[in-house]
């Protein structure tokens, strides 16, 4: 209980290192990140860990000898963030080293420098670099920030010899709370399709254009949006989150609507089939109204399964059996999993809230997660 309360206290303290006073905003290698690095470095060194910053500004702390098991998450935040997204996974890792002190285990804790994609519009700078992907480090703007931080983005990193990867993370959704459960083991991270559809009709006067003579792009889009909702209700999740209307006036029929489409599912073939149905549906619906539709693919991200054996070991470490679920959001584990056996444990998000100052975690859930972490790491040896 004391250790769990300390985990929460550390996260709350780290939340005070911010680019904006009165809130928590800490992007990739921004000035307050130095304070976080110093704070965590002091803690890790007091436990006998050796620490360093790597070429991407990832904070690395190692404990013990031989091939290490990695516990990691990210230290950057979204603007006006809560105290636990990412940070919790790093603090949990260090606390487990503290609790396991004396056990013959080899653990590396990593605080990734960047996951949220806020500063440069591209996410996962930290974990991608750790997995050997130099692409983002070679971007001049990213490289400049790394150099300004006193690091060398062109440095070679020794390929580590690792046994596996574990990420603790808040769920960032309402599922565990609705089930009244503290924890879940993540089976896979969903695949994601992002499209943009343009409905083109004819803009005209809302008073003088009789209903049968209209080509209302918004009415066509609206009918389709309900079909998107129905598709999601049948399986997975599907969302239209953004609309751009032309002319968007109170006394006019809209001639053009640009709509976003976001479809996610743990099985790629199901996701792709849903997208195909929705694109066909958009054209068919709109055609009846004299509205045409064009579509453009923005993002096609495949689903990433966690390692089945390691995930089973993690589930076995959950007392009373583990609830298993897919993650609807991306995490560093998604970048790591194709290269290294990876597993993920979710902690309940009170109120389902995340990316918000009221983001929280229950101390009793941290107790449960620390127990799982201890059992899991002990049985690896
Ligand atoms: Zn996160």
């Amino acid at each position: 209980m004391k250790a769990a309360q300390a985990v929460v206290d550390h996260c709350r303290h780290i939340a005070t290192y911010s680019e904006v006073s009165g809130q928590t905003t800490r992007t990739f290698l921004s000035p307050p990140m130095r304070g976080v690095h110093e704070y965590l470095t002091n803690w890790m060194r007091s436990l006998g860990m050796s620490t360093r910053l790597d070429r991407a500004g990832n904070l690395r702390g190692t404990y013990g000898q031989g091939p290490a098991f990695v516990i990691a998450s990210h230290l950057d935040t979204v603007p006006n963030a809560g105290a636990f997204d990412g940070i919790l996974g790093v603090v949990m890792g260090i606390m487990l080293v503290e609790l396991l002190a004396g056990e013959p285990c080899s653990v590396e804790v990593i605080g990734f420098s960047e996951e949220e994609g806020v500063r440069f519009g591209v996410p996962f700078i930290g974990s991608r670099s750790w997995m050997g992907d130099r692409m983002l480090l070679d971007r001049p703007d990213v490289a400049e920030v790394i150099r300004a931080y006193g690091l060398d983005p062109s440095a070679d990193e020794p390929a580590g010899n690792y046994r596996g990867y574990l990420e603790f993370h808040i769920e960032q959704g309402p599922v565990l709370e609705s089930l009244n459960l503290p924890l879940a083991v993540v089976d896979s991270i969903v695949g994601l399709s992002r499209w943009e559809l343009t409905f083109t009709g004819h803009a005209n006067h809302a008073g003088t254009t009789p209903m049968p003579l209209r080509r209302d792009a918004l009415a066509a889009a609206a009918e389709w949006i309900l079909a998107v909702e129905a598709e999601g209700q049948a399986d997975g999740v599907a969302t239209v989150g953004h609309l751009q209307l032309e002319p968007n006036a109170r006394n006019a029929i809209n001639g053009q609507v640009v709509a976003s489409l976001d479809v996610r599912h743990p099985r790629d073939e199901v996701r792709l089939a849903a997208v195909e149905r929705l694109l066909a549906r958009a054209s068919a619906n709109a055609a009846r109204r004299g509205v045409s539709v064009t579509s453009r693919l923005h993002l096609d991200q495949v689903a990433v399964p966690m390692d089945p054996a390691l995930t089973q070991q993690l589930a076995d470490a959950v007392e009373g059996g583990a609830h298993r679920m897919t993650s609807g959001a991306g995490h560093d584990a998604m970048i790591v999993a194709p290269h290294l056996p990876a597993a993920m444990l979710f902690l309940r998000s009170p109120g389902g809230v995340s990316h918000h100052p009221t983001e929280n975690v229950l101390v009793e859930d941290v107790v449960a997660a620390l127990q799982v972490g201890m059992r899991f790491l002990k049985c690896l040896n």
Side-chain angles (χ1 to χ4, degrees), residues 73-74 85-86 115-116 167 169 172 330-332 355:
S73 195
H74 58 97
D85 175 3
E115 188 267 354
E116 300 284 6
E167 184 166 358
H169 205 284
Q172 301 183 282
H331 296 291
D332 290 301
H355 285 188

Side-chain angles (χ1 to χ4, degrees), residues 164-206:
Y165 174 96
L166 173 64
E167 184 166 358
F168 296 91
H169 205 284
I170 53 169
E171 182 205 337
Q172 301 183 282
V175 174
L176 285 174
E177 186 170 76
S178 73
L179 296 170
N180 199 22
L181 287 173
L183 306 172
V185 170
V186 176
D187 278 322
S188 70
I189 296 176
V190 293
L192 162 65
S193 295
R194 209 167 269 162
W195 286 76
E196 186 181 271
L197 280 75
T198 303
F199 294 77
T200 306
H202 188 65
N204 214 333
H205 197 291

Side-chain angles (χ1 to χ4, degrees), residues 214-230:
R214 295 182 179 206
R215 293 165 55 203
D216 187 333
L218 180 56
E223 188 182 3
W224 174 73
I225 289 168
L226 293 179
V228 172
E229 186 192 36

